[in-house]
Amino acid sequence: MKGLARYWGYLAFVILVTAWWTRSVGPVALLVLSLLVTGFFLFQAPVWCCAMNRDGTLCRNNSAGLLLGCSKRQHKWQKLRMTFVPHAWRQMNRGLWASPREGLTTLGAIVGILSAIVATAISVAGQFAGKA
């Protein structure tokens, strides 16, 4: 059971997609699910580090989430810095699609972020429609 607990975000991702597909829950529940899925993929999903090594290759150590590096202190800061420095986005993008696992994690994070934005917009639009 401990091994399956590491992958809870994939189940949440499937529930999120199903909830959007069937339109069975409200925007607040969609927003909560979206934030959970986004948080999982950005900070907890098991992926490769993919920070740049000194020889120009990608680090293949295990990492937690797309934004955090492996156990090497320099890699943790390098991955986080690549998120905010525009000229490093190309290097970071190279690591986001390094393998099918990283690709699925990247797509999951993108879907989670977009889902959160749309659920927030629906919720805000519903608030304004209720006051009019």
Side-chain angles (χ1 to χ4, degrees):
M1 190 65 173
K2 184 179 177 184
L4 290 177
R6 265 180 80 177
Y7 300 100
W8 66 268
Y10 292 103
L11 177 62
F13 178 71
V14 170
I15 292 170
L16 176 65
V17 171
T18 303
W20 274 108
W21 186 266
T22 61
R23 298 180 187 175
S24 59
V25 296
V28 174
L30 288 171
L31 179 61
V32 170
L33 268 172
S34 300
L35 293 175
L36 285 171
V37 166
T38 302
F40 171 78
F41 286 123
L42 292 180
F43 300 108
Q44 193 177 1
V47 293
W48 284 338
C49 174
C50 292
M52 293 297 279
N53 291 320
R54 291 181 181 179
D55 62 358
T57 62
L58 297 178
C59 176
R60 296 294 185 190
N61 292 336
N62 291 327
S63 172
L66 294 172
L67 293 183
L68 302 177
C70 63
S71 61
K72 295 179 181 175
R73 185 172 37 123
Q74 180 64 27
H75 286 190
K76 286 184 190 276
W77 288 110
Q78 181 183 8
K79 291 270 304 235
L80 202 52
R81 186 176 45 233
M82 282 194 295
T83 306
F84 297 105
V85 178
H87 66 77
W89 289 347
R90 179 177 287 174
Q91 286 178 335
M92 184 169 185
N93 189 34
R94 195 172 133 206
L96 293 177
W97 309 100
S99 74
R101 180 175 57 175
E102 278 72 23
L104 179 62
T105 303
T106 302
L107 287 176
I110 291 169
V111 167
I113 291 168
L114 291 176
S115 174
I117 291 169
V118 171
T120 302
I122 290 171
S123 180
V124 169
Q127 292 290 330
F128 285 126
K131 290 182 180 180

